[in-house]
Structure formats: C-alpha cells, structure tokens
Amino acid sequence: MPRTKKATENKSSEEAKTKSRRSKKADNPKTAVEPVVAADLPDEKEPKGSEKENGEPSKYKNIGSFSASIENEFAYTNLSEAEEESRTYRYLKKCQKNGEILVGSMYGVVDDPKEMRVGAAISFEPESSKTHYGMVEVAIPDNLFFEPAMKFTKDYEIRSEEERYRIRKYIMLQYMGAKIHFCLNSIKREKEIDPNNPNRPVTVVTGDRVQAMEKLRDKYFYHRNRKRGDLAPITIKPGDLVEAFVVAVNDQFVTVVALGVETRIYLHDLTKENITSCAQYTYAGDVLPECRVLSVEVKDDRVRLRLTNNKLEAPKMILFMKRGNYYRGRVTWFNPEKNLYTVYLDNGVTAFVYKSNVQGYRELSINDIVSVCVTSIFEETVGGNAIKL
C-alpha cells in the first residue's frame, strides 16, 4: 500500500512527524503485530468462522504467526545484525513458552544417507524483523514432519529400512517451497557454529509439524483443549470456504493443508481450465484462498476433508437449458467406481454422463471434446448422453 505524509505549513515539524508516524501505522496493513498465543486463538474470541445469520457460508483462513518472508515486504531498519539476531532469539523463546503455531517456508531438505535420516529445513523470520538478520533455519526431522497416519506407499511397512528412507526423502522433496505449520521444540544459542566469529552465538532451532497440525485439528474439529466454555465451538460444515496451502503437486492431484488437515484436491476439482496436469495451474507454496468444503468426516484418529477449488453455484445459464438440446463441453474427470464422466460445458454448467451413455460405448479421455444431449436437469447440474466430436 503506498504511504503518504500530510503536513500543513502552519503546523510544527514535530506535529507533522507525529502525524506521519500515526498515518503510516494506520495505513500499513502489514504493521508488525504481537504473536498469536494459544489463549488468543480465534476460538477464545468471537470465532472468525461462526455461522452467519443470513445463511452465507462461513470462511476460514490458516492461522499462525507467519514468517516475515510470507507476511511482509522487507524494509530496512537501523538495527545491527547482532541486535536483530538477539531480538529474534527472544521472540522465538516467547513463542515456545506460549506454545504458538508458526508458519515458515520450506527451502531445503537435510539428508543423512549414513544414518538414513531426512529432515525439512524451514526458513522463519519474525514478523517484526525487517532484515534477513532475523531469519533462522528451523530443522524438522521426518518423524516430526510426516504425521503418523501418513501412507507413503501400500507396501511401505514391508520394505527395507533403506527403501523406506528413500521413499520419505522423495516425498519430502515434493514439499519444497511449501508453507509449513510448526511448533518449536528447542531453541539454543551455539557459539561454535560460526568459525569466522566464534564469539557470536548462532540460534539453532528444531520444530515439530505434527504437533502444530494436531493443535489446528483440535481447534476446528475436536475441541478438547478449549479454554472457555461460554462460546460455541467452531463447526466446520459442507459449503464452508477455507484457505488451503498447496504443499505438493502431482499430475492428477495436489496435496493441500487446510484447518490442520492434509488432503488432496484432484484435477477436476482444482480448475475448469483446459489443462492436463495440476502443475500447469499451481505449485507448492501457492495459496488457494477459497476452497469449498464438500464433506467432513471426524473420527477419533483422523479427520477426512474433501475440498474443491471450483465454485459449486449453478451458473444462470442452466435456466436456459432444455431437455433434448445439445451442448458442447470438455471431459474433465472419470470416476471408475461409478463409471461416470464429468463434463464442463462451454456455458459453465457441469454435466454428468455415465459410460454406458456414451455413443458407441467409446471410452473418453480427459480433455476430450464432446457433445452432450441433456436428458435431465437438476438444481446445479445436468445429466445426459454424450458423443465425442
């Protein structure tokens, strides 16, 4: 946001400076704020995602104290490197004491082939920091990065230790660039790390992503550690809008994190654009600001969350559609369990076509162009027969 100073000639220079400082603070939405502590999370105040009286869907954003590299544009201060590092150390100790959830960017993978261990390197800079002096590396070992319910491969448990290590390393590399939630395990000041300046201590930090994800799920789904009982707990329901962090991208699906749940969004739910790979649309580190919740399943050991990045509201063009009319569209998905094709028509309406209703019983492929003869019209979608063009 551009910053402006307003001063009149008949005011003293001191008054002008005071007014300028106040104006900058008020106009700059990225002004540093106090870190969010566990007691101040939204479920202890008016829930941000409380159900609206007018029937509108609730909206939820990822919470946490964000790294300055994510939250702010950098601006330089007069603090020395030693002062900046010292302030960062105190800030992190405060976050650790308060049990805060932090968010940093994954920029590296730490590999130890001899010990067959792998870990994530997360860059984090306090929001109040204005230079790279305050940035620290947060090391998260794989056992504190991947959650216990993580399924690496179907035969992962019967593979050799070396094979399991290589699988974990391969999957962790996919998270490069992603925004990662974590809590702080340990914060130390080591003097032996910098050989050029042994008298200057360096901050060494380890983190725990598993703990942060558990806290987020408890806040939104389990409500076991609520501090106050006078406010109704947040209830996530189908139709709500949530912010999702893209953490890994494959051809046919992306892995995202929303509300402490790691889930997949498949190609047909990611975009209606004519693409053959999710990598053509998004990347690790990207943010999908308004994903709609399709379904929620809460169990004692796991939360299942289905999301779509496509708007589900029926376009007004469905009002003009009639049974027996033909409409051009593109195949975007095939459900092998139901033998059902999803087709996005050129007028913006979604059509569903059973495999048995494809003329000539021909198999269709993703991105095939078809003509759909509408046989049924529902509130938001249509069904019909298809022929490949």
Side-chain angles (χ1 to χ4, degrees), residues 317-346:
M317 295 301 293
I318 199 172
L319 301 175
F320 302 96
M321 300 180 72
K322 296 181 180 180
R323 294 179 181 85
N325 286 1
Y326 290 81
Y327 301 89
R328 183 181 182 276
R330 177 176 60 87
V331 178
T332 60
W333 192 249
F334 176 68
N335 186 331
E337 296 179 357
K338 298 182 179 180
N339 281 326
L340 188 67
Y341 290 102
T342 301
V343 180
Y344 286 141
L345 303 178
D346 289 355

mmCIF file of all heavy atoms in Angstrom, residues 317-346:
data_model
loop_
_atom_site.group_PDB
_atom_site.id
_atom_site.type_symbol
_atom_site.label_atom_id
_atom_site.label_comp_id
_atom_site.label_asym_id
_atom_site.label_seq_id
_atom_site.Cartn_x
_atom_site.Cartn_y
_atom_site.Cartn_z
ATOM 1 N N MET A 317 -26.841 -19.802 -16.606
ATOM 2 C CA MET A 317 -27.116 -20.371 -17.923
ATOM 3 C C MET A 317 -27.921 -21.657 -17.847
ATOM 4 O O MET A 317 -28.544 -22.068 -18.821
ATOM 5 C CB MET A 317 -25.798 -20.620 -18.672
ATOM 6 C CG MET A 317 -25.019 -19.356 -18.999
ATOM 7 S SD MET A 317 -25.950 -18.213 -20.025
ATOM 8 C CE MET A 317 -26.043 -19.158 -21.539
ATOM 9 N N ILE A 318 -27.928 -22.301 -16.665
ATOM 10 C CA ILE A 318 -28.716 -23.532 -16.524
ATOM 11 C C ILE A 318 -30.210 -23.240 -16.664
ATOM 12 O O ILE A 318 -31.002 -24.126 -17.017
ATOM 13 C CB ILE A 318 -28.405 -24.213 -15.165
ATOM 14 C CG1 ILE A 318 -28.842 -25.688 -15.202
ATOM 15 C CG2 ILE A 318 -29.089 -23.490 -14.019
ATOM 16 C CD1 ILE A 318 -28.400 -26.477 -13.987
ATOM 17 N N LEU A 319 -30.600 -21.994 -16.414
ATOM 18 C CA LEU A 319 -32.012 -21.616 -16.523
ATOM 19 C C LEU A 319 -32.508 -21.677 -17.963
ATOM 20 O O LEU A 319 -33.709 -21.779 -18.219
ATOM 21 C CB LEU A 319 -32.218 -20.204 -15.961
ATOM 22 C CG LEU A 319 -31.821 -19.994 -14.496
ATOM 23 C CD1 LEU A 319 -31.963 -18.526 -14.122
ATOM 24 C CD2 LEU A 319 -32.683 -20.864 -13.585
ATOM 25 N N PHE A 320 -31.574 -21.586 -18.925
ATOM 26 C CA PHE A 320 -31.963 -21.557 -20.337
ATOM 27 C C PHE A 320 -31.828 -22.925 -21.005
ATOM 28 O O PHE A 320 -32.124 -23.065 -22.186
ATOM 29 C CB PHE A 320 -31.098 -20.537 -21.092
ATOM 30 C CG PHE A 320 -31.193 -19.151 -20.544
ATOM 31 C CD1 PHE A 320 -30.251 -18.675 -19.635
ATOM 32 C CD2 PHE A 320 -32.234 -18.311 -20.902
ATOM 33 C CE1 PHE A 320 -30.337 -17.397 -19.118
ATOM 34 C CE2 PHE A 320 -32.336 -17.030 -20.391
ATOM 35 C CZ PHE A 320 -31.383 -16.568 -19.491
ATOM 36 N N MET A 321 -31.359 -23.923 -20.251
ATOM 37 C CA MET A 321 -31.143 -25.254 -20.834
ATOM 38 C C MET A 321 -32.447 -26.046 -20.860
ATOM 39 O O MET A 321 -33.286 -25.917 -19.959
ATOM 40 C CB MET A 321 -30.068 -26.004 -20.043
ATOM 41 C CG MET A 321 -28.721 -25.293 -20.032
ATOM 42 S SD MET A 321 -27.447 -26.174 -19.100
ATOM 43 C CE MET A 321 -27.116 -27.550 -20.210
ATOM 44 N N LYS A 322 -32.600 -26.872 -21.886
ATOM 45 C CA LYS A 322 -33.801 -27.673 -22.046
ATOM 46 C C LYS A 322 -33.429 -29.112 -22.375
ATOM 47 O O LYS A 322 -32.397 -29.372 -23.001
ATOM 48 C CB LYS A 322 -34.680 -27.103 -23.164
ATOM 49 C CG LYS A 322 -35.223 -25.710 -22.888
ATOM 50 C CD LYS A 322 -36.094 -25.225 -24.030
ATOM 51 C CE LYS A 322 -36.650 -23.830 -23.753
ATOM 52 N NZ LYS A 322 -37.501 -23.355 -24.882
ATOM 53 N N ARG A 323 -34.263 -30.029 -21.932
ATOM 54 C CA ARG A 323 -34.057 -31.434 -22.252
ATOM 55 C C ARG A 323 -34.164 -31.636 -23.765
ATOM 56 O O ARG A 323 -35.044 -31.087 -24.428
ATOM 57 C CB ARG A 323 -35.093 -32.305 -21.544
ATOM 58 C CG ARG A 323 -34.957 -32.296 -20.031
ATOM 59 C CD ARG A 323 -36.037 -33.155 -19.391
ATOM 60 N NE ARG A 323 -35.947 -33.146 -17.934
ATOM 61 C CZ ARG A 323 -36.484 -32.231 -17.158
ATOM 62 N NH1 ARG A 323 -37.149 -31.221 -17.705
ATOM 63 N NH2 ARG A 323 -36.346 -32.291 -15.853
ATOM 64 N N GLY A 324 -33.251 -32.443 -24.271
ATOM 65 C CA GLY A 324 -33.232 -32.711 -25.704
ATOM 66 C C GLY A 324 -32.296 -31.815 -26.482
ATOM 67 O O GLY A 324 -31.968 -32.108 -27.640
ATOM 68 N N ASN A 325 -31.834 -30.720 -25.863
ATOM 69 C CA ASN A 325 -30.877 -29.832 -26.531
ATOM 70 C C ASN A 325 -29.456 -30.370 -26.383
ATOM 71 O O ASN A 325 -29.145 -31.104 -25.438
ATOM 72 C CB ASN A 325 -30.965 -28.425 -25.957
ATOM 73 C CG ASN A 325 -32.216 -27.695 -26.410
ATOM 74 O OD1 ASN A 325 -33.028 -28.246 -27.141
ATOM 75 N ND2 ASN A 325 -32.365 -26.458 -25.962
ATOM 76 N N TYR A 326 -28.586 -29.964 -27.313
ATOM 77 C CA TYR A 326 -27.197 -30.419 -27.312
ATOM 78 C C TYR A 326 -26.281 -29.266 -26.907
ATOM 79 O O TYR A 326 -26.485 -28.115 -27.319
ATOM 80 C CB TYR A 326 -26.798 -30.922 -28.701
ATOM 81 C CG TYR A 326 -27.475 -32.217 -29.088
ATOM 82 C CD1 TYR A 326 -28.783 -32.213 -29.578
ATOM 83 C CD2 TYR A 326 -26.822 -33.434 -28.963
ATOM 84 C CE1 TYR A 326 -29.424 -33.390 -29.938
ATOM 85 C CE2 TYR A 326 -27.446 -34.626 -29.319
ATOM 86 C CZ TYR A 326 -28.749 -34.597 -29.813
ATOM 87 O OH TYR A 326 -29.370 -35.757 -30.157
ATOM 88 N N TYR A 327 -25.249 -29.609 -26.136
ATOM 89 C CA TYR A 327 -24.303 -28.588 -25.667
ATOM 90 C C TYR A 327 -22.881 -29.144 -25.746
ATOM 91 O O TYR A 327 -22.635 -30.303 -25.407
ATOM 92 C CB TYR A 327 -24.616 -28.173 -24.225
ATOM 93 C CG TYR A 327 -26.010 -27.613 -24.053
ATOM 94 C CD1 TYR A 327 -27.090 -28.452 -23.770
ATOM 95 C CD2 TYR A 327 -26.251 -26.251 -24.206
ATOM 96 C CE1 TYR A 327 -28.367 -27.947 -23.640
ATOM 97 C CE2 TYR A 327 -27.528 -25.740 -24.073
ATOM 98 C CZ TYR A 327 -28.587 -26.589 -23.793
ATOM 99 O OH TYR A 327 -29.864 -26.087 -23.664
ATOM 100 N N ARG A 328 -21.975 -28.273 -26.184
ATOM 101 C CA ARG A 328 -20.564 -28.666 -26.322
ATOM 102 C C ARG A 328 -19.873 -28.570 -24.968
ATOM 103 O O ARG A 328 -20.155 -27.675 -24.172
ATOM 104 C CB ARG A 328 -19.864 -27.751 -27.332
ATOM 105 C CG ARG A 328 -18.409 -28.083 -27.620
ATOM 106 C CD ARG A 328 -17.855 -27.075 -28.633
ATOM 107 N NE ARG A 328 -16.474 -27.345 -28.990
ATOM 108 C CZ ARG A 328 -15.414 -26.941 -28.303
ATOM 109 N NH1 ARG A 328 -15.588 -26.219 -27.187
ATOM 110 N NH2 ARG A 328 -14.187 -27.220 -28.694
ATOM 111 N N GLY A 329 -18.920 -29.480 -24.703
ATOM 112 C CA GLY A 329 -18.190 -29.444 -23.446
ATOM 113 C C GLY A 329 -16.892 -30.231 -23.495
ATOM 114 O O GLY A 329 -16.536 -30.811 -24.527
ATOM 115 N N ARG A 330 -16.195 -30.249 -22.367
ATOM 116 C CA ARG A 330 -14.886 -30.915 -22.268
ATOM 117 C C ARG A 330 -14.898 -31.891 -21.100
ATOM 118 O O ARG A 330 -15.352 -31.550 -20.004
ATOM 119 C CB ARG A 330 -13.783 -29.863 -22.060
ATOM 120 C CG ARG A 330 -12.383 -30.414 -21.865
ATOM 121 C CD ARG A 330 -11.381 -29.268 -21.781
ATOM 122 N NE ARG A 330 -11.686 -28.372 -20.660
ATOM 123 C CZ ARG A 330 -11.250 -28.568 -19.420
ATOM 124 N NH1 ARG A 330 -10.489 -29.610 -19.129
ATOM 125 N NH2 ARG A 330 -11.559 -27.710 -18.463
ATOM 126 N N VAL A 331 -14.409 -33.094 -21.323
ATOM 127 C CA VAL A 331 -14.330 -34.104 -20.264
ATOM 128 C C VAL A 331 -13.218 -33.720 -19.286
ATOM 129 O O VAL A 331 -12.079 -33.462 -19.702
ATOM 130 C CB VAL A 331 -14.050 -35.500 -20.857
ATOM 131 C CG1 VAL A 331 -13.927 -36.536 -19.734
ATOM 132 C CG2 VAL A 331 -15.149 -35.898 -21.824
ATOM 133 N N THR A 332 -13.561 -33.658 -18.011
ATOM 134 C CA THR A 332 -12.563 -33.248 -17.010
ATOM 135 C C THR A 332 -12.236 -34.343 -16.009
ATOM 136 O O THR A 332 -11.226 -34.242 -15.308
ATOM 137 C CB THR A 332 -13.061 -32.019 -16.232
ATOM 138 O OG1 THR A 332 -14.290 -32.345 -15.568
ATOM 139 C CG2 THR A 332 -13.286 -30.835 -17.163
ATOM 140 N N TRP A 333 -13.087 -35.379 -15.917
ATOM 141 C CA TRP A 333 -12.815 -36.415 -14.911
ATOM 142 C C TRP A 333 -13.612 -37.671 -15.225
ATOM 143 O O TRP A 333 -14.658 -37.619 -15.896
ATOM 144 C CB TRP A 333 -13.183 -35.918 -13.511
ATOM 145 C CG TRP A 333 -12.661 -36.805 -12.399
ATOM 146 C CD1 TRP A 333 -13.385 -37.598 -11.561
ATOM 147 C CD2 TRP A 333 -11.296 -36.964 -12.014
ATOM 148 N NE1 TRP A 333 -12.552 -38.243 -10.678
ATOM 149 C CE2 TRP A 333 -11.265 -37.872 -10.929
ATOM 150 C CE3 TRP A 333 -10.099 -36.426 -12.487
ATOM 151 C CZ2 TRP A 333 -10.081 -38.258 -10.313
ATOM 152 C CZ3 TRP A 333 -8.921 -36.809 -11.868
ATOM 153 C CH2 TRP A 333 -8.911 -37.703 -10.800
ATOM 154 N N PHE A 334 -13.090 -38.812 -14.730
ATOM 155 C CA PHE A 334 -13.815 -40.076 -14.839
ATOM 156 C C PHE A 334 -13.747 -40.800 -13.505
ATOM 157 O O PHE A 334 -12.665 -40.970 -12.932
ATOM 158 C CB PHE A 334 -13.224 -40.959 -15.939
ATOM 159 C CG PHE A 334 -13.888 -42.316 -16.023
ATOM 160 C CD1 PHE A 334 -15.207 -42.423 -16.443
ATOM 161 C CD2 PHE A 334 -13.199 -43.468 -15.673
ATOM 162 C CE1 PHE A 334 -15.831 -43.662 -16.517
ATOM 163 C CE2 PHE A 334 -13.807 -44.708 -15.746
ATOM 164 C CZ PHE A 334 -15.136 -44.811 -16.170
ATOM 165 N N ASN A 335 -14.902 -41.179 -12.977
ATOM 166 C CA ASN A 335 -14.988 -41.925 -11.736
ATOM 167 C C ASN A 335 -15.147 -43.408 -12.071
ATOM 168 O O ASN A 335 -16.226 -43.843 -12.485
ATOM 169 C CB ASN A 335 -16.187 -41.436 -10.915
ATOM 170 C CG ASN A 335 -16.244 -42.081 -9.539
ATOM 171 O OD1 ASN A 335 -15.787 -43.198 -9.337
ATOM 172 N ND2 ASN A 335 -16.816 -41.363 -8.573
ATOM 173 N N PRO A 336 -14.071 -44.209 -11.897
ATOM 174 C CA PRO A 336 -14.147 -45.625 -12.292
ATOM 175 C C PRO A 336 -15.101 -46.438 -11.426
ATOM 176 O O PRO A 336 -15.624 -47.460 -11.887
ATOM 177 C CB PRO A 336 -12.696 -46.106 -12.123
ATOM 178 C CG PRO A 336 -12.092 -45.170 -11.131
ATOM 179 C CD PRO A 336 -12.755 -43.852 -11.353
ATOM 180 N N GLU A 337 -15.333 -45.996 -10.187
ATOM 181 C CA GLU A 337 -16.235 -46.735 -9.314
ATOM 182 C C GLU A 337 -17.690 -46.602 -9.771
ATOM 183 O O GLU A 337 -18.474 -47.540 -9.665
ATOM 184 C CB GLU A 337 -16.091 -46.244 -7.876
ATOM 185 C CG GLU A 337 -14.712 -46.499 -7.273
ATOM 186 C CD GLU A 337 -14.614 -45.986 -5.857
ATOM 187 O OE1 GLU A 337 -15.600 -45.393 -5.367
ATOM 188 O OE2 GLU A 337 -13.543 -46.170 -5.230
ATOM 189 N N LYS A 338 -18.032 -45.432 -10.287
ATOM 190 C CA LYS A 338 -19.410 -45.195 -10.734
ATOM 191 C C LYS A 338 -19.541 -45.206 -12.263
ATOM 192 O O LYS A 338 -20.641 -45.051 -12.784
ATOM 193 C CB LYS A 338 -19.909 -43.845 -10.205
ATOM 194 C CG LYS A 338 -19.964 -43.773 -8.687
ATOM 195 C CD LYS A 338 -20.503 -42.425 -8.224
ATOM 196 C CE LYS A 338 -20.583 -42.356 -6.711
ATOM 197 N NZ LYS A 338 -21.102 -41.054 -6.234
ATOM 198 N N ASN A 339 -18.381 -45.384 -12.959
ATOM 199 C CA ASN A 339 -18.384 -45.331 -14.422
ATOM 200 C C ASN A 339 -19.051 -44.051 -14.921
ATOM 201 O O ASN A 339 -19.929 -44.068 -15.789
ATOM 202 C CB ASN A 339 -19.085 -46.547 -15.023
ATOM 203 C CG ASN A 339 -18.189 -47.779 -15.032
ATOM 204 O OD1 ASN A 339 -16.972 -47.655 -15.195
ATOM 205 N ND2 ASN A 339 -18.767 -48.944 -14.846
ATOM 206 N N LEU A 340 -18.619 -42.932 -14.324
ATOM 207 C CA LEU A 340 -19.283 -41.652 -14.574
ATOM 208 C C LEU A 340 -18.271 -40.600 -15.012
ATOM 209 O O LEU A 340 -17.242 -40.406 -14.373
ATOM 210 C CB LEU A 340 -19.989 -41.189 -13.292
ATOM 211 C CG LEU A 340 -20.892 -39.968 -13.382
ATOM 212 C CD1 LEU A 340 -22.111 -40.282 -14.253
ATOM 213 C CD2 LEU A 340 -21.331 -39.539 -11.989
ATOM 214 N N TYR A 341 -18.586 -39.950 -16.136
ATOM 215 C CA TYR A 341 -17.743 -38.864 -16.632
ATOM 216 C C TYR A 341 -18.270 -37.515 -16.122
ATOM 217 O O TYR A 341 -19.483 -37.308 -16.023
ATOM 218 C CB TYR A 341 -17.737 -38.822 -18.171
ATOM 219 C CG TYR A 341 -17.006 -39.972 -18.822
ATOM 220 C CD1 TYR A 341 -17.716 -41.032 -19.374
ATOM 221 C CD2 TYR A 341 -15.622 -39.989 -18.903
ATOM 222 C CE1 TYR A 341 -17.062 -42.091 -19.988
ATOM 223 C CE2 TYR A 341 -14.952 -41.038 -19.518
ATOM 224 C CZ TYR A 341 -15.680 -42.090 -20.052
ATOM 225 O OH TYR A 341 -15.022 -43.134 -20.655
ATOM 226 N N THR A 342 -17.333 -36.616 -15.821
ATOM 227 C CA THR A 342 -17.681 -35.229 -15.516
ATOM 228 C C THR A 342 -17.320 -34.385 -16.732
ATOM 229 O O THR A 342 -16.186 -34.454 -17.227
ATOM 230 C CB THR A 342 -16.927 -34.706 -14.288
ATOM 231 O OG1 THR A 342 -17.247 -35.521 -13.159
ATOM 232 C CG2 THR A 342 -17.303 -33.264 -13.985
ATOM 233 N N VAL A 343 -18.271 -33.594 -17.196
ATOM 234 C CA VAL A 343 -18.064 -32.760 -18.384
ATOM 235 C C VAL A 343 -18.392 -31.319 -18.024
ATOM 236 O O VAL A 343 -19.488 -31.039 -17.507
ATOM 237 C CB VAL A 343 -18.954 -33.222 -19.562
ATOM 238 C CG1 VAL A 343 -18.712 -32.336 -20.784
ATOM 239 C CG2 VAL A 343 -18.690 -34.686 -19.886
ATOM 240 N N TYR A 344 -17.453 -30.409 -18.285
ATOM 241 C CA TYR A 344 -17.731 -28.985 -18.114
ATOM 242 C C TYR A 344 -18.171 -28.423 -19.454
ATOM 243 O O TYR A 344 -17.398 -28.375 -20.421
ATOM 244 C CB TYR A 344 -16.488 -28.251 -17.612
ATOM 245 C CG TYR A 344 -16.182 -28.511 -16.164
ATOM 246 C CD1 TYR A 344 -14.872 -28.661 -15.717
ATOM 247 C CD2 TYR A 344 -17.199 -28.622 -15.214
ATOM 248 C CE1 TYR A 344 -14.589 -28.910 -14.385
ATOM 249 C CE2 TYR A 344 -16.928 -28.877 -13.884
ATOM 250 C CZ TYR A 344 -15.626 -29.020 -13.476
ATOM 251 O OH TYR A 344 -15.356 -29.275 -12.157
ATOM 252 N N LEU A 345 -19.423 -27.999 -19.520
ATOM 253 C CA LEU A 345 -19.976 -27.469 -20.762
ATOM 254 C C LEU A 345 -19.472 -26.045 -21.003
ATOM 255 O O LEU A 345 -19.102 -25.335 -20.061
ATOM 256 C CB LEU A 345 -21.506 -27.491 -20.700
ATOM 257 C CG LEU A 345 -22.143 -28.870 -20.441
ATOM 258 C CD1 LEU A 345 -23.658 -28.735 -20.363
ATOM 259 C CD2 LEU A 345 -21.742 -29.865 -21.525
ATOM 260 N N ASP A 346 -19.510 -25.630 -22.250
ATOM 261 C CA ASP A 346 -18.999 -24.308 -22.603
ATOM 262 C C ASP A 346 -19.810 -23.181 -21.982
ATOM 263 O O ASP A 346 -19.325 -22.049 -21.865
ATOM 264 C CB ASP A 346 -18.991 -24.141 -24.128
ATOM 265 C CG ASP A 346 -17.911 -24.994 -24.799
ATOM 266 O OD1 ASP A 346 -17.122 -25.629 -24.048
ATOM 267 O OD2 ASP A 346 -17.859 -25.036 -26.041
#
